[in-house]
Amino acid sequence: MKFHSTRGGVSGVSFKEMLLSGYASDGGMYLPETIPTVSKATLCSWAGLPYDELAFKIASYFIEEVDIPATDLQAIFKRAFSTFSEREVVPVARLQNGLVIMELFHGRSLAFKDLSMSCIGNFYNYFLGEGKRHMTLIVCTSGDTGSSAIEAVRGFDKVDVVVMLPRGRCTKIQELMMTTVQDSNVHVYRMDGSSDDIDVVTRDMFSDPSFVKEHNLASASSLNFTRVLIQMVHIFYTYLQLCPAADGEVEMVLPTGGAGNVTAGMIAREMGLPVRFVCAVNDNNVLSRMMDDGQCDLGDIHVTLAPAMDIQFAYNLERIWYLCSGGDSALIKKVMEDVDKGSVNIPSNVLNKMKSAIKVYTVCGDKEIRDTIKRCWEENKYHICPHTAVGVAYYYKHRKDINGPCAVLATASPLKFPEAITASEVPAPTSERMRELLIAPTRYTDLEKDENWTAIVRAKVEAISKQKALLQRSS
Ligand SMILES: *Cc1c(COP(=O)(O)O)cnc(C)c1O
């Protein structure tokens, strides 16, 4: 299987090349050139498979023997998912009033992003294994992506990771999960600014192709299609948990930010999986406004109790629009020009296709998040994180109208968000690891407002490459 760009300018790209890059060179996003279909009989035969074997079955449609031999691919998934604390990888919680929660957060950084990042770390290692190549992963994070990327590659000698986080804007535990890591290939900057301010540094670096090439820079956000690809596994897994005979439609509620999950879901749907989606969003509701009539202006970012979803524009929408337009790359190019100017403008045929698969639910501010955390605790003595609460809020409000099986995908562990849980008048959960974090030694660099962040981070990347070159010469 080869990959091509949503904007039509790049095609025939191998899995490896796609994995090791970010945006396509025409500015578009990678997708597979064709979407394979899965028959109902095949689907049924997958029910009951362990998570890593299901991952292998699905990934094999996109990653062929010529990319990675089957036995190697199986070993990669086995190793990646063995870092999860639960044997079944994604346990299912069945709660009062028919609420079903898929616990996607049992990886090392306690967020669903570990499901794909742990595989990506292993893919990097696999491809860098033979040669003397080294790469540097650049991560701008509002909380979860940073620690997930760190956990995926810490201790590797072929990969360094540079993480930039907005100081004081992640939760305390999220920040400590990044700043207490002692491995020498992990470099953490706490910047005095917002995620948007930090994004400027990433964009500066990635818009310099010779710098990107010289230092083998890669991005770990879900603009990388490999992340979306691996996230399809938990969509299929959830379906088969709720509907093992593959004889009905399942509704999945996705707490949504960058829309990586729902993109994975839309591809699974194209492959023939009978699913529909509810994108649950917070006050950053571009998606909801756009779904009304295909138009909206991009506003300012609102700070909410669910920070991983405080995203102004869900960049994966470009992929969803492409899929829903039947692959009209000329249209996508035009639509994205509007987005760059600050407004969204979607033709009605694309919008109608989206609406047939996706509903959007906007939570009523932080209050509804708190009320939902509280109700879920009171009914079940079960903690949910504020992102998961945005999804559960939809379920509580609409459960009587839902036909057929429905599951809410829990995107992070409540252990990472004690502040939001306490604010909901619920006793906060804790664990041994959380208590140790609070007293662990830290290792990071602070960058102040008046410093030249881009220059400092570029110099760091250069220093890393130089040191790696010296090490290789001496070995
Ligand atoms: C990243 C993240 C999301 C948003 O996921 P998308 O796939 O980008 O929409 C939601 N919740 C949590 C906890 C996250 O870390």
Side-chain angles (χ1 to χ4, degrees), residues 105 110-113 142-145 174 222 227-228 231 234 254-264 279-280 306-311 314-316 385-388 409-413 416-417:
F105 53 73
L110 307 180
F112 88 93
K113 294 183 171 73
S142 59
D144 286 337
T145 310
Q174 278 182 315
S222 62
R227 283 220 11 218
V228 176
Q231 285 171 201
H234 63 248
L254 314 173
T256 299
N261 260 334
V262 65
T263 303
C279 289
M309 294 156 60
D310 292 348
I311 290 183
Y315 43 87
N316 270 298
C385 90
H387 310 83
T388 307
L409 273 57
T411 47
S413 163
K416 287 175 93 166
F417 301 93

Side-chain angles (χ1 to χ4, degrees), residues 80-123:
F81 297 120
S82 71
T83 60
F84 280 65
S85 62
E86 305 295 310
R87 187 185 41 81
E88 61 268 63
V89 181
V90 175
V92 189
R94 295 177 192 272
L95 306 175
Q96 291 295 317
N97 290 311
L99 174 60
V100 176
I101 292 189
M102 303 301 295
E103 297 184 353
L104 304 180
F105 53 73
H106 292 289
R108 281 192 186 145
S109 84
L110 307 180
F112 88 93
K113 294 183 171 73
D114 294 332
L115 286 163
S116 53
M117 277 308 310
S118 60
C119 298
I120 291 211
N122 278 288
F123 283 134

